[in-house]
Amino acid sequence: MNAKTVLIVEDEPAIREMVSFALARAGFEVDEAVDGGEAQERIASRLPDMILLDWVLPGTSGIDLARRLKRDEYTRDVPIIMLTARGEEDDRVGGLEAGVDDYVTKPFSPRELVARIKAVMRRTVPENEDKPLEVDGLTLDPGSHRASVDGNALEMGPTEFRLLQFFMTHPERVYSRSQLLDRVWGRNTYVEERTVDVHILRLRKALGPSGYDRYVQTVRGAGYRFSSRS
């Protein structure tokens, strides 16, 4: 299984170095940013599996960045742990309401932080999510976030990847647009059902050159299904 990547967003070098060292020793891959702008650049370059986010940052505050990340379809599923010296109940509630998954008050021990990270990942990553999937030569590896055919990578966006992963784990069953929105986008996402059609077209386009687009089938009046049968 590939090592999970943790992005540390912290402007204090000593804390960033301590956390980075502890996470590397625990087997995580580590990326770093000193403010919100750099964090967004790092996320655009590579989506992390977890974000450790300091509350007080230069420019955009950590809490504002957390709200922005949770509103964005690309980043909304990435768990966030807030690192802060603010330990009052109102501050903790404010952080959780912004969408963060846990809250660690400074000073903290590296050992405790690693334990909290592993606990959050267990909660937010379903069991067996990292298990590679294969259907008639079409392979999807959630751990490396790659889909391929005969070793040749397929180019697709993060939503198309999640849609394909859902289809491959739920073959031969018809799902309506509203069901797909709930299962792939999430119940708290407010988007039109036509959004599903747009991403189905994009997924078919990504699968088209290898011939697997025919597996994503339209069932008139009902929705979509993933099937190797004609």
Side-chain angles (χ1 to χ4, degrees), residues 8-224:
I8 305 167
V9 188
E10 167 65 66
D11 63 321
E12 295 186 35
I15 295 178
R16 198 169 60 247
E17 183 178 349
M18 175 192 72
V19 173
S20 178
F21 179 75
L23 295 185
R25 284 194 63 185
F28 293 100
E29 290 189 20
V30 180
D31 202 356
E32 300 181 10
V34 299
D35 56 32
E38 186 178 7
Q40 290 181 292
E41 291 177 5
R42 304 305 301 162
I43 291 168
S45 174
R46 180 184 184 185
L47 189 68
D49 298 294
M50 161 78 70
I51 299 173
L52 299 182
L53 183 58
D54 188 29
W55 185 300
V56 180
L57 292 170
T60 302
S61 71
I63 198 73
D64 288 338
L65 179 58
R67 292 191 183 102
R68 187 179 304 169
L69 294 173
K70 290 300 182 180
R71 287 195 300 264
D72 190 318
E73 181 184 306
Y74 178 63
T75 54
R76 66 179 176 83
D77 293 328
V78 179
I80 298 174
I81 294 180
M82 187 73 75
L83 305 177
T84 179
R86 305 165 70 108
E88 289 77 12
E89 181 180 357
D90 287 347
D91 294 326
R92 292 199 301 273
V93 171
L96 294 171
E97 287 180 344
V100 304
D101 298 87
D102 203 354
Y103 196 101
V104 177
T105 304
K106 299 175 182 178
F108 53 83
S109 74
R111 184 178 177 185
E112 176 195 1
L113 180 61
V114 169
R116 298 282 279 273
I117 289 171
K118 290 180 177 179
V120 169
M121 284 186 169
R122 283 195 299 270
R123 291 203 311 264
T124 56
V125 178
E127 187 177 359
N128 293 329
E129 186 184 77
D130 278 344
K131 184 178 179 181
L133 306 169
E134 191 272 332
V135 176
D136 296 344
L138 172 63
T139 302
L140 184 143
D141 185 352
S144 62
H145 210 270
R146 289 190 178 95
S148 61
V149 175
D150 297 328
N152 298 313
L154 302 177
E155 296 296 328
M156 65 183 67
T159 301
E160 289 73 50
F161 186 89
R162 292 201 306 271
L163 192 56
L164 179 59
Q165 182 178 6
F166 177 77
F167 276 141
M168 291 179 71
T169 52
H170 300 82
E172 305 297 341
R173 178 177 172 181
V174 178
Y175 288 91
S176 68
R177 291 171 179 82
S178 62
Q179 287 174 323
L180 289 172
L181 282 174
D182 284 346
R183 302 293 292 275
V184 178
W185 279 259
R187 294 181 182 274
N188 295 323
T189 300
Y190 301 99
V191 295
E192 297 180 358
E193 290 189 359
R194 285 192 61 185
T195 300
V196 176
D197 299 331
V198 172
H199 288 285
I200 288 288
L201 287 173
R202 291 177 181 173
L203 177 58
R204 284 174 172 159
K205 184 177 180 180
L207 296 173
S210 57
Y212 288 91
D213 53 323
R214 64 184 177 85
Y215 283 34
V216 182
Q217 301 171 359
T218 300
V219 180
R220 187 179 296 276
Y224 297 99

